[in-house]
Structure formats: C-alpha cells, structure tokens
Amino acid sequence: MPDGNAYDQAYYAMSRPEAGRKSLVDTLRDRYIRRHVLRFRQTGRLLDIGCGLGLFLQSMTPPFEPFGTDISAYAVAQAQQRMPNAKLFVGSILDGIPFSVNFDVITAINVVEHLEQPALAVAAIRERLQLGGLFVAHLPTIGNRLQARIYRGSYDADPTHIYRPSGREFRGVAEAAGFKTVFETYSPFAPALLWRNLPWHPAYLAIFQAR
C-alpha cells in the first residue's frame, strides 16, 4: 500500500483542475450506493475508509454521523474543510480503526485493491461494526476473461492495485470474517440481478451485514 505522501502526489496534486469534483460515473455510483445503504440503515454512525476529499462522505451526511480515515494528510485536511463537524483521521485501515465507537455502516470504496492484507482489514471492519451493521465494498475484480481484459486496459495502469480477487473470492473473505452477503452486483450495477449473473465489468459492489 502506498504511503500518504506518495498518494498525495499521485492523486491529490493541487494543480489538478478536477480536484474536489467527482466524475459523472462516480456521482452515479455514489448515489446508487446511498440508495441501497438506506434500504438497510436510515441513520447512525458511518465510517468511510479511504474517504479522500470527503465527497462520498458528504453525500451520506445527513442522515448519517460522518467519520472518515485516509492515508493522505492532504485529502483529510481538504475533507475537514468541507465537513467541519466530521471526525476524520489520517491513517491506514491495516493499523486498525482509530475511533473508540462502533459503527452502523462502514464503507470502503476503491480501497481494498490497494491493500497487502485485505483479510486483516475486513476483520478490523467487522470488529467495529454493530451487530447487523453494514460493510459496503467497491473494488475492481477479475473473475473471467472479459473482466481480465478490461482490467488490463484500465485498472492495471495503477501500480498500487496489488489485490486482484474475483468477486466470489472477495465475498468469501468477507463471509469468513463474520459477514453475510445481502447485496452484490457489477458495473453498471442496475439491474443488479442481470449484472450479478453476467459479470462483464471488473467493478464489483457488495453490501455485507455483520452477523
């Protein structure tokens, strides 16, 4: 996993004109995640791991009380300016969750693929979720030849993508840590049943519930 300084340079350089704005694809994805989270939880504490500039976390506030972590000090500082009341921390999920409270929802969007020990991170997430709480994961996966081909033409250009499971393999990691799968699909996400059965794109989205 890259350190915070390297991540700042690669992703959050202040000279980038698009810094602080989401692409249309990311905006639609985040709206989709919000809608499905609200199917299961309508309020409570939400921790966004890898919160970046705080754009997704802000979209979930209200109804949720916002918490966030990121390895980038620059990103956390920008997120704190955007959300002065949010509780934010600079650090890696592999070092554990730094807050003393338990959560109703923990999200990790485009995070797990950067981790050398994803199972350790998932176990830490399970430990800090309320019984019945939600773990939302979004990550690129490789489960068939078409996904592998698309991955090579896009995600593989990022050298920090070091974890390349299939969706099924990652679901197994989550379930082994004490979760049950309550929702899963692949990009373009809707209709979920179709793309769950015909996974052609690497982007995998799942909601797991703490048992």
Side-chain angles (χ1 to χ4, degrees):
M1 185 174 185
D3 63 31
N5 290 331
Y7 205 79
D8 286 346
Q9 295 172 6
Y11 298 98
Y12 299 121
M14 294 183 69
S15 60
R16 288 178 59 186
E18 68 271 23
R21 297 200 302 268
K22 285 190 286 190
S23 69
L24 177 60
V25 171
D26 288 348
T27 298
L28 294 175
R29 178 204 63 207
D30 290 356
R31 288 176 182 173
Y32 188 79
I33 292 173
R34 176 185 168 91
R35 185 165 70 250
H36 283 278
V37 167
L38 290 173
R39 290 173 50 200
F40 300 96
R41 282 287 183 277
Q42 290 74 49
T43 189
R45 299 188 186 100
L46 185 148
L47 168 62
D48 186 24
I49 296 168
C51 66
L53 301 173
L55 300 172
F56 172 75
L57 188 58
Q58 186 178 37
S59 76
M60 300 298 291
T61 311
F64 293 98
E65 180 183 356
F67 294 73
T69 66
D70 200 281
I71 63 170
S72 166
Y74 169 77
V76 168
Q78 293 296 307
Q80 195 73 76
Q81 288 184 26
R82 179 172 280 108
M83 297 178 294
N85 295 326
K87 298 176 179 66
L88 306 178
F89 185 87
V90 179
S92 168
I93 179 60
L94 295 179
D95 296 323
I97 292 176
F99 302 105
S100 60
V101 298
N102 288 333
F103 295 92
D104 300 280
V105 181
I106 298 179
T107 57
I109 300 171
N110 296 338
V111 170
V112 180
E113 65 269 25
H114 301 282
L115 302 178
E116 295 175 350
Q117 298 174 285
L120 179 64
V122 174
I125 290 168
R126 173 61 191 89
E127 183 179 354
R128 300 310 296 275
L129 272 172
Q130 304 276 11
L131 184 64
L134 304 180
F135 167 37
V136 181
H138 177 276
L139 67 154
T141 58
I142 303 175
N144 56 52
R145 291 182 180 179
L146 183 55
Q147 287 181 325
R149 184 173 181 177
I150 295 173
Y151 195 107
R152 285 194 300 270
S154 55
Y155 299 102
D156 217 22
D158 186 341
T160 68
H161 285 190
I162 57 176
Y163 178 53
R164 300 178 176 89
S166 68
R168 179 179 296 179
E169 288 169 342
F170 183 71
R171 183 176 70 234
V173 170
E175 292 179 349
F179 289 100
K180 67 176 180 179
T181 305
V182 295
F183 178 81
E184 63 179 347
T185 186
Y186 294 83
S187 183
F189 305 135
L193 181 62
L194 175 62
W195 302 121
R196 184 165 64 247
N197 291 317
L198 296 173
W200 67 274
H201 194 278
Y204 173 71
L205 172 64
I207 300 178
F208 305 102
Q209 193 168 48
R211 295 184 293 187

